[in-house]
Each structure stands twice: as structure tokens, then as C-alpha cells.
Amino acid sequence: MPRKLYIETYGCQMNVADSEVVVSILGDNGYTLTDNMENADLILVNTCSIRDNAEQRVWGRLDLFKHHKRENPGTMIGIIGCMAERLKEQLLETDRMVDIVAGPDSYRDLPRLVDEAWEGQKAVNVLLSREETYADIDPVRSDRNGVSSFVSIMRGCNNMCSYCVVPYVRGAERSRDPQTIINEVKELFSRGYREVTLLGQNVNSYSREDKDNKISFARLLEMTAATDPELRVRFSTSHPKDISDELLKVMAENDNICKHIHLPVQSGSSRILDLMNRKYDREWYMDRIRAIRKFLPSCSLSSDMITGFCTETEDDHRQTLSLMNWAKYDFAYMFKYSERPDTLAARKLEDDVPEEIKTRRLNEIIELQNRLSLESKRKDLGKTFEVLVEGFSKKSKNDLSGRTSQNKVVVFPSNGSKAGDYVKVKITDCTAATLLGEAICPDIRH
Ligand code: 5AD
Ligand code: SF4
């Protein structure tokens, strides 16, 4: 009888893509996926270490799995991903209920690790690799709509931002063979997918030699867009220090490359950016945004912000607020600084902004961003956008939901189109999170 695998995924989109690789590898080794933990033989938790609260959430879930294992002693529990890499054997020492620990570069070894665990031994592989990209693995897609999928193009990170645990848990940067990326994208398109998001911790530093050519990220993006004009292409995440005019030009020249850039600034203060080891300052970042506005006037912009980083003063905080106001982000993810063991900041700087000040500053940037997000949606009222339909809206089967090129969610009364269709929608109203509109018939592109 095939064994049943239950997998839960925390953290970023890379982790979602990695879980798809894990399901594929174990699927080839006799495991079928179940979405019911109760009847699983193997429970895997793909974990995140980016902030302490991400790890706390995983500990909470582990308590539940352990309880389950006490009642079903035959069930194996594995911790995989970033927390597995960070804590290694410690996870087995602190927790005798955990059977398997596997870091992000050891997923090909999972069938062996799981066999060892069935034989009653604790199994660990946390080796990081300089080459592994899982290029030849055909991920088992976990998206629910069959329209939009992630495609991992590189792994690891060489940037060494002082606050960040990623280089330690995901290892050095390496780029995936471009031909395997293009093949995967074509395969997705032939199965009905109409959108791919090229994923990496820092996609702009993608680089591969192919025969005699050097393939940059801009070139890879162009090649992906050329697979079919009906395919939308997105990418994430970009580092401001590497976002080139060449890339912006490629985006401008290709209608099917979505006009949205996620460009995490982290702080508006050059002094803090220097302490964060971001390798750009406020002026450089503003210059890049000016370039985006010049080449791509319709482009939307989102960001990540960390508040309360070591030594951050009220003046630094005000500079973050003023930069946000200037950039007019359409969307942002905002976090309190969380010290991560062994990072540059943990070793060299004091986490000296009191918790209540971090909370107050975070609330201030959230409040500002809420206003900016609403402003950004209001600007779309009366305009018409091409929307890629993803399915019914969450609230009603009479309404369809999809996204604009700018990555804004649009809900509109069904005009009979289906997931994967492009529909022109005129925006008539908005909420804080969603645009509302009406399909302009009969312009349905199947
Ligand atoms: N504390 C808080 N936020 C962090 N991020 C990364 N490391 C930390 C940390 N130690 C945020 C950054 C990054 C996003 C993925 O998570 O804003 O862009
Ligand atoms: Fe979390 Fe970073 Fe790992 Fe993604 S790469 S799961 S954000 S620690």
C-alpha cells in the first residue's frame, strides 16, 4: 500500500515551490499526498526562520503533531526547510518526537532519510550545496486554480544583509539551467497555466553561461515572455542594488511581462541602510524608482519594511515614512526587526530599540501604508484593465476574481468566462484590498 504524506508549508513562496519539489520526489518513491493529517504515515513541516515569530508558529504546530504521534506511534514526523537548517541536530535533542531533519538542499535524500526513520533511526541531512537547483524535478503543483504557478530559477543568497538569516539557511547563490526553466514554463502553458512567477531570493543576480552566451535575468525574462504572448510573466524578489535599466527596458518592450515590481527598501534612512549592509542608499533607491516611472509609467510598486532595526532613531523612522509617502507604494509588507542568531547584526550590533517603540513605529507605517494602498486603488476608478481570471470570488459564485498586470485583485460579476481567460474589466468601485468592476463584453479571450 502506498504510504501517505501530509505536508504543511510556512514562509515565503520559495518554500511553497520547494514543497512542490518534495512532493514530487516522495511521489516517485511511493508516497501519495493527503490533506488530512489524521491518516498520514509521514508528516512533514516545511519551515521558515526569517523572524522569531515564524519559528514560534512552527513550534506551536509541532506540539499538535507530537500529540497526534503519541496516539499514532507509527507516524513519522520530519522538519524540513530553513528551521531544519538553522537548528540541525538540536531539533532531535530538544524533541524526541521528531524523526527526520532535512535542510533545503537535501530533498533528493528524503526517500533514504525516511527509510532510515522507518527503521527506527533518527535521520538528518543538513548539507548545503553549491550546485543543487532541483532543475530536473517536475514539481507537483499545489496551486488551487491551475492558472498561476511559481517557477524557481535560483537558490540561495550572497547578499549578507546584516539582519538576515537566509544566506545561512539557504546557502550560496546558484542559478538554474535556463533551458530547464523554459521547458517547465512551456509545459505549464500546455497544461493551461497562463501565469508564471519566476522565483529567487534575488532574481536580478541570475546568471548562467549558455554555450557562448551569458544569460542575465533580463535575458531570461525575455526568453520566458517569448514562449507565448498569452502567458503572463511575473518575478520576485528584486534587490534595489541590481535592478538595471536593461531589465526595465525588457519589461517595457513585452506586454506580457507584468507591470509590477516588488522592490524591498527595508528603511528610508541611508544610515540604517548602511548598517543593514544593503549596499545602496536612499538616493540610489529613489533614482531606481524614477527610472521605473520613466520606463514603465503604469508599473505598480511594492516593498518590504523593517522597523526598529538596531540604533534606529525617530529621525530614521521619519525618513522611512517620508520615503513611503514619496514612493506611494501600492502595497507593502511591514515587520518589526527580529534579531536572528549568528547574523552580522546579532554579532556586531545591539538590538536596542525597545519593543513598545518598535510596535508604535510599526503601527505608524502600517497606518500610512493603508492610506497609500487605498489611494492606489482609488486612482484606478474609471480605468479599464485586462484581468486574468483565476476563478470564482471567495464570497460568491456569481462573481469572478482575477488580477491586473499590476497585481491588483479585481472582483466582477461573472460574464461566463472561466479560469485562465483574459477579460477587459472597467473599475467602478474599490475596497481597501480589492478593485470592483464590470466586464466589458463581448471581449473575452479564451
Ligand atoms: N527581522 C524582521 N524582518 C526581516 N526580514 C528579513 N529578516 C528580518 C528580520 N531579522 C524581512 C525583510 C525581507 C522580508 C522577506 O522579511 O523585510 O525583505
Ligand atoms: Fe523564511 Fe527566508 Fe527560508 Fe523563505 S528563505 S522560508 S523567508 S527563512
Side-chain angles (χ1 to χ4, degrees), residues 12 49-52 163-166 237 262 264 266 278 304-307 333 335-340 343:
C12 62
S49 284
I50 197 104
R51 284 170 290 276
D52 185 55
Y163 51 79
C164 189
V165 77
V166 171
T237 294
H262 185 60
Q266 315 297 1
R278 289 289 286 174
D304 294 345
M305 240 75 64
I306 297 177
T307 190
Y333 296 98
F335 312 102
K336 274 191 247 184
Y337 172 57
S338 163
E339 186 178 82
R340 307 314 291 132
T343 53

mmCIF file of all heavy atoms in Angstrom, residues 12 49-52 163-166 237 262 264 266 278 304-307 333 335-340 343, ligand 1:
data_model
loop_
_atom_site.group_PDB
_atom_site.id
_atom_site.type_symbol
_atom_site.label_atom_id
_atom_site.label_comp_id
_atom_site.label_asym_id
_atom_site.label_seq_id
_atom_site.Cartn_x
_atom_site.Cartn_y
_atom_site.Cartn_z
ATOM 1 N N CYS A 12 8.081 31.767 2.805
ATOM 2 C CA CYS A 12 7.960 32.505 1.547
ATOM 3 C C CYS A 12 7.518 31.598 0.389
ATOM 4 O O CYS A 12 7.361 30.393 0.541
ATOM 5 C CB CYS A 12 9.296 33.144 1.214
ATOM 6 S SG CYS A 12 10.598 31.920 0.975
ATOM 7 N N SER A 49 12.577 30.547 9.062
ATOM 8 C CA SER A 49 13.348 31.082 10.195
ATOM 9 C C SER A 49 13.485 32.592 10.144
ATOM 10 O O SER A 49 14.253 33.159 10.913
ATOM 11 C CB SER A 49 14.766 30.499 10.175
ATOM 12 O OG SER A 49 14.753 29.184 10.633
ATOM 13 N N ILE A 50 12.776 33.242 9.236
ATOM 14 C CA ILE A 50 13.105 34.642 8.934
ATOM 15 C C ILE A 50 12.947 35.557 10.147
ATOM 16 O O ILE A 50 13.742 36.458 10.355
ATOM 17 C CB ILE A 50 12.292 35.157 7.717
ATOM 18 C CG1 ILE A 50 12.916 36.414 7.144
ATOM 19 C CG2 ILE A 50 10.850 35.424 8.044
ATOM 20 C CD1 ILE A 50 13.655 36.199 5.893
ATOM 21 N N ARG A 51 11.895 35.321 10.941
ATOM 22 C CA ARG A 51 11.712 36.064 12.190
ATOM 23 C C ARG A 51 11.372 35.080 13.286
ATOM 24 O O ARG A 51 10.897 33.977 13.016
ATOM 25 C CB ARG A 51 10.557 37.087 12.044
ATOM 26 C CG ARG A 51 10.916 38.318 11.238
ATOM 27 C CD ARG A 51 9.694 39.148 10.916
ATOM 28 N NE ARG A 51 8.869 38.435 9.956
ATOM 29 C CZ ARG A 51 9.057 38.457 8.629
ATOM 30 N NH1 ARG A 51 10.019 39.173 8.102
ATOM 31 N NH2 ARG A 51 8.283 37.753 7.842
ATOM 32 N N ASP A 52 11.595 35.512 14.537
ATOM 33 C CA ASP A 52 11.338 34.605 15.641
ATOM 34 C C ASP A 52 9.885 34.125 15.626
ATOM 35 O O ASP A 52 9.603 32.952 15.886
ATOM 36 C CB ASP A 52 11.671 35.293 16.962
ATOM 37 C CG ASP A 52 11.532 34.336 18.117
ATOM 38 O OD1 ASP A 52 12.169 33.262 18.061
ATOM 39 O OD2 ASP A 52 10.771 34.622 19.054
ATOM 40 N N TYR A 163 20.771 41.751 8.908
ATOM 41 C CA TYR A 163 19.687 41.229 9.752
ATOM 42 C C TYR A 163 19.248 39.820 9.346
ATOM 43 O O TYR A 163 18.451 39.197 10.026
ATOM 44 C CB TYR A 163 18.450 42.158 9.654
ATOM 45 C CG TYR A 163 18.050 42.455 8.220
ATOM 46 C CD1 TYR A 163 17.333 41.543 7.469
ATOM 47 C CD2 TYR A 163 18.431 43.645 7.612
ATOM 48 C CE1 TYR A 163 17.001 41.796 6.150
ATOM 49 C CE2 TYR A 163 18.109 43.913 6.290
ATOM 50 C CZ TYR A 163 17.397 42.988 5.576
ATOM 51 O OH TYR A 163 17.076 43.232 4.273
ATOM 52 N N CYS A 164 19.748 39.309 8.218
ATOM 53 C CA CYS A 164 19.029 38.222 7.532
ATOM 54 C C CYS A 164 19.668 36.848 7.697
ATOM 55 O O CYS A 164 20.868 36.656 7.516
ATOM 56 C CB CYS A 164 18.920 38.562 6.051
ATOM 57 S SG CYS A 164 17.833 37.414 5.198
ATOM 58 N N VAL A 165 18.818 35.882 7.962
ATOM 59 C CA VAL A 165 19.257 34.517 8.215
ATOM 60 C C VAL A 165 19.364 33.700 6.910
ATOM 61 O O VAL A 165 19.985 32.644 6.889
ATOM 62 C CB VAL A 165 18.249 33.858 9.210
ATOM 63 C CG1 VAL A 165 16.951 33.452 8.517
ATOM 64 C CG2 VAL A 165 18.854 32.693 9.939
ATOM 65 N N VAL A 166 18.797 34.244 5.814
ATOM 66 C CA VAL A 166 18.682 33.450 4.583
ATOM 67 C C VAL A 166 20.013 32.877 4.068
ATOM 68 O O VAL A 166 20.092 31.687 3.767
ATOM 69 C CB VAL A 166 17.943 34.240 3.472
ATOM 70 C CG1 VAL A 166 18.026 33.520 2.134
ATOM 71 C CG2 VAL A 166 16.492 34.424 3.856
ATOM 72 N N THR A 237 12.170 37.932 -5.909
ATOM 73 C CA THR A 237 12.205 39.296 -5.440
ATOM 74 C C THR A 237 13.413 40.011 -6.054
ATOM 75 O O THR A 237 14.430 39.388 -6.310
ATOM 76 C CB THR A 237 12.362 39.300 -3.906
ATOM 77 O OG1 THR A 237 11.192 38.750 -3.329
ATOM 78 C CG2 THR A 237 12.529 40.672 -3.339
ATOM 79 N N HIS A 262 8.327 44.242 -7.088
ATOM 80 C CA HIS A 262 8.478 44.194 -5.634
ATOM 81 C C HIS A 262 9.924 44.579 -5.344
ATOM 82 O O HIS A 262 10.842 43.840 -5.698
ATOM 83 C CB HIS A 262 8.151 42.788 -5.127
ATOM 84 C CG HIS A 262 8.166 42.707 -3.628
ATOM 85 N ND1 HIS A 262 7.343 43.470 -2.847
ATOM 86 C CD2 HIS A 262 8.916 41.971 -2.774
ATOM 87 C CE1 HIS A 262 7.577 43.210 -1.571
ATOM 88 N NE2 HIS A 262 8.530 42.301 -1.499
ATOM 89 N N PRO A 264 11.968 45.686 -2.269
ATOM 90 C CA PRO A 264 12.028 45.941 -0.826
ATOM 91 C C PRO A 264 13.069 46.990 -0.464
ATOM 92 O O PRO A 264 14.237 46.845 -0.809
ATOM 93 C CB PRO A 264 12.429 44.581 -0.233
ATOM 94 C CG PRO A 264 12.035 43.584 -1.262
ATOM 95 C CD PRO A 264 12.234 44.276 -2.582
ATOM 96 N N GLN A 266 13.346 48.328 2.879
ATOM 97 C CA GLN A 266 13.687 48.000 4.285
ATOM 98 C C GLN A 266 13.727 49.221 5.192
ATOM 99 O O GLN A 266 13.208 49.185 6.296
ATOM 100 C CB GLN A 266 15.004 47.208 4.411
ATOM 101 C CG GLN A 266 15.183 46.054 3.438
ATOM 102 C CD GLN A 266 14.174 44.934 3.585
ATOM 103 O OE1 GLN A 266 13.278 44.976 4.423
ATOM 104 N NE2 GLN A 266 14.274 43.894 2.748
ATOM 105 N N ARG A 278 22.882 46.961 3.034
ATOM 106 C CA ARG A 278 22.040 46.808 1.849
ATOM 107 C C ARG A 278 22.771 47.227 0.568
ATOM 108 O O ARG A 278 22.278 47.001 -0.529
ATOM 109 C CB ARG A 278 20.752 47.627 1.997
ATOM 110 C CG ARG A 278 19.793 47.064 3.023
ATOM 111 C CD ARG A 278 19.158 45.771 2.559
ATOM 112 N NE ARG A 278 18.150 45.994 1.534
ATOM 113 C CZ ARG A 278 17.522 45.007 0.884
ATOM 114 N NH1 ARG A 278 17.840 43.751 1.119
ATOM 115 N NH2 ARG A 278 16.612 45.273 -0.021
ATOM 116 N N ASP A 304 9.090 45.887 1.133
ATOM 117 C CA ASP A 304 9.155 45.345 2.500
ATOM 118 C C ASP A 304 9.823 46.404 3.369
ATOM 119 O O ASP A 304 10.742 47.081 2.911
ATOM 120 C CB ASP A 304 10.046 44.095 2.571
ATOM 121 C CG ASP A 304 9.496 42.911 1.807
ATOM 122 O OD1 ASP A 304 8.302 42.923 1.454
ATOM 123 O OD2 ASP A 304 10.269 41.963 1.569
ATOM 124 N N MET A 305 9.379 46.492 4.620
ATOM 125 C CA MET A 305 9.952 47.470 5.542
ATOM 126 C C MET A 305 10.237 46.797 6.871
ATOM 127 O O MET A 305 9.412 46.034 7.367
ATOM 128 C CB MET A 305 8.905 48.563 5.799
ATOM 129 C CG MET A 305 9.300 49.931 5.422
ATOM 130 S SD MET A 305 9.276 50.208 3.665
ATOM 131 C CE MET A 305 7.538 49.998 3.363
ATOM 132 N N ILE A 306 11.408 47.100 7.417
ATOM 133 C CA ILE A 306 11.721 46.608 8.765
ATOM 134 C C ILE A 306 11.777 47.826 9.679
ATOM 135 O O ILE A 306 12.480 48.795 9.385
ATOM 136 C CB ILE A 306 13.076 45.886 8.806
ATOM 137 C CG1 ILE A 306 13.047 44.648 7.905
ATOM 138 C CG2 ILE A 306 13.420 45.490 10.239
ATOM 139 C CD1 ILE A 306 14.382 43.909 7.832
ATOM 140 N N THR A 307 11.037 47.769 10.772
ATOM 141 C CA THR A 307 11.048 48.909 11.675
ATOM 142 C C THR A 307 11.735 48.526 12.986
ATOM 143 O O THR A 307 11.660 47.386 13.426
ATOM 144 C CB THR A 307 9.608 49.416 11.898
ATOM 145 O OG1 THR A 307 9.660 50.644 12.570
ATOM 146 C CG2 THR A 307 8.766 48.443 12.687
ATOM 147 N N TYR A 333 4.762 44.905 2.746
ATOM 148 C CA TYR A 333 4.843 44.007 3.900
ATOM 149 C C TYR A 333 5.709 44.714 4.938
ATOM 150 O O TYR A 333 6.813 45.166 4.606
ATOM 151 C CB TYR A 333 5.527 42.688 3.530
ATOM 152 C CG TYR A 333 4.779 41.858 2.517
ATOM 153 C CD1 TYR A 333 5.135 41.901 1.171
ATOM 154 C CD2 TYR A 333 3.728 41.031 2.906
ATOM 155 C CE1 TYR A 333 4.468 41.130 0.234
ATOM 156 C CE2 TYR A 333 3.055 40.261 1.973
ATOM 157 C CZ TYR A 333 3.432 40.310 0.649
ATOM 158 O OH TYR A 333 2.772 39.543 -0.276
ATOM 159 N N PHE A 335 7.428 44.781 8.953
ATOM 160 C CA PHE A 335 7.818 43.900 10.059
ATOM 161 C C PHE A 335 8.569 44.667 11.120
ATOM 162 O O PHE A 335 9.264 45.639 10.822
ATOM 163 C CB PHE A 335 8.763 42.798 9.548
ATOM 164 C CG PHE A 335 8.285 42.120 8.302
ATOM 165 C CD1 PHE A 335 8.838 42.463 7.060
ATOM 166 C CD2 PHE A 335 7.301 41.155 8.350
ATOM 167 C CE1 PHE A 335 8.415 41.834 5.896
ATOM 168 C CE2 PHE A 335 6.871 40.529 7.191
ATOM 169 C CZ PHE A 335 7.426 40.861 5.965
ATOM 170 N N LYS A 336 8.478 44.142 12.358
ATOM 171 C CA LYS A 336 9.379 44.608 13.422
ATOM 172 C C LYS A 336 10.686 43.846 13.300
ATOM 173 O O LYS A 336 10.669 42.644 13.028
ATOM 174 C CB LYS A 336 8.784 44.246 14.780
ATOM 175 C CG LYS A 336 7.812 45.234 15.323
ATOM 176 C CD LYS A 336 7.536 44.884 16.772
ATOM 177 C CE LYS A 336 6.113 44.428 16.907
ATOM 178 N NZ LYS A 336 5.696 44.157 18.258
ATOM 179 N N TYR A 337 11.783 44.533 13.530
ATOM 180 C CA TYR A 337 13.076 43.836 13.492
ATOM 181 C C TYR A 337 13.096 42.721 14.530
ATOM 182 O O TYR A 337 12.714 42.901 15.672
ATOM 183 C CB TYR A 337 14.218 44.824 13.759
ATOM 184 C CG TYR A 337 15.545 44.119 13.922
ATOM 185 C CD1 TYR A 337 16.039 43.288 12.916
ATOM 186 C CD2 TYR A 337 16.299 44.259 15.087
ATOM 187 C CE1 TYR A 337 17.237 42.611 13.066
ATOM 188 C CE2 TYR A 337 17.513 43.592 15.241
ATOM 189 C CZ TYR A 337 17.967 42.764 14.228
ATOM 190 O OH TYR A 337 19.147 42.092 14.379
ATOM 191 N N SER A 338 13.552 41.554 14.092
ATOM 192 C CA SER A 338 13.660 40.391 14.976
ATOM 193 C C SER A 338 15.090 39.874 14.855
ATOM 194 O O SER A 338 15.519 39.470 13.770
ATOM 195 C CB SER A 338 12.632 39.344 14.495
ATOM 196 O OG SER A 338 12.913 38.075 15.008
ATOM 197 N N GLU A 339 15.822 39.930 15.938
ATOM 198 C CA GLU A 339 17.231 39.527 15.865
ATOM 199 C C GLU A 339 17.341 38.028 15.607
ATOM 200 O O GLU A 339 16.697 37.230 16.286
ATOM 201 C CB GLU A 339 17.940 39.874 17.180
ATOM 202 C CG GLU A 339 19.421 39.616 17.111
ATOM 203 C CD GLU A 339 20.127 40.008 18.404
ATOM 204 O OE1 GLU A 339 20.112 39.203 19.351
ATOM 205 O OE2 GLU A 339 20.667 41.126 18.467
ATOM 206 N N ARG A 340 18.141 37.656 14.624
ATOM 207 C CA ARG A 340 18.340 36.236 14.305
ATOM 208 C C ARG A 340 19.744 35.816 14.711
ATOM 209 O O ARG A 340 20.728 36.482 14.338
ATOM 210 C CB ARG A 340 18.142 35.970 12.798
ATOM 211 C CG ARG A 340 16.860 36.448 12.203
ATOM 212 C CD ARG A 340 15.618 36.101 13.020
ATOM 213 N NE ARG A 340 15.276 34.696 13.063
ATOM 214 C CZ ARG A 340 14.970 34.013 14.173
ATOM 215 N NH1 ARG A 340 14.991 34.616 15.352
ATOM 216 N NH2 ARG A 340 14.650 32.748 14.120
ATOM 217 N N THR A 343 23.592 36.103 12.815
ATOM 218 C CA THR A 343 23.682 37.036 11.686
ATOM 219 C C THR A 343 24.688 38.141 12.031
ATOM 220 O O THR A 343 25.069 38.299 13.200
ATOM 221 C CB THR A 343 22.312 37.693 11.406
ATOM 222 O OG1 THR A 343 21.851 38.264 12.638
ATOM 223 C CG2 THR A 343 21.299 36.681 10.902
HETATM 224 N N1 5AD B 1 13.554 40.841 11.160
HETATM 225 C C1 5AD B 1 12.457 41.388 10.577
HETATM 226 N N2 5AD B 1 12.198 41.291 9.273
HETATM 227 C C2 5AD B 1 13.079 40.618 8.499
HETATM 228 N N3 5AD B 1 13.093 40.362 7.176
HETATM 229 C C3 5AD B 1 14.186 39.643 6.894
HETATM 230 N N4 5AD B 1 14.897 39.414 8.018
HETATM 231 C C4 5AD B 1 14.228 40.025 9.023
HETATM 232 C C5 5AD B 1 14.463 40.155 10.421
HETATM 233 N N5 5AD B 1 15.543 39.642 11.007
HETATM 234 C C6 5AD B 1 12.074 40.870 6.260
HETATM 235 C C7 5AD B 1 12.673 41.750 5.171
HETATM 236 C C8 5AD B 1 12.621 40.878 3.953
HETATM 237 C C9 5AD B 1 11.381 40.065 4.207
HETATM 238 C C10 5AD B 1 11.280 38.815 3.414
HETATM 239 O O1 5AD B 1 11.467 39.780 5.585
HETATM 240 O O2 5AD B 1 11.834 42.882 5.032
HETATM 241 O O3 5AD B 1 12.531 41.620 2.752
#
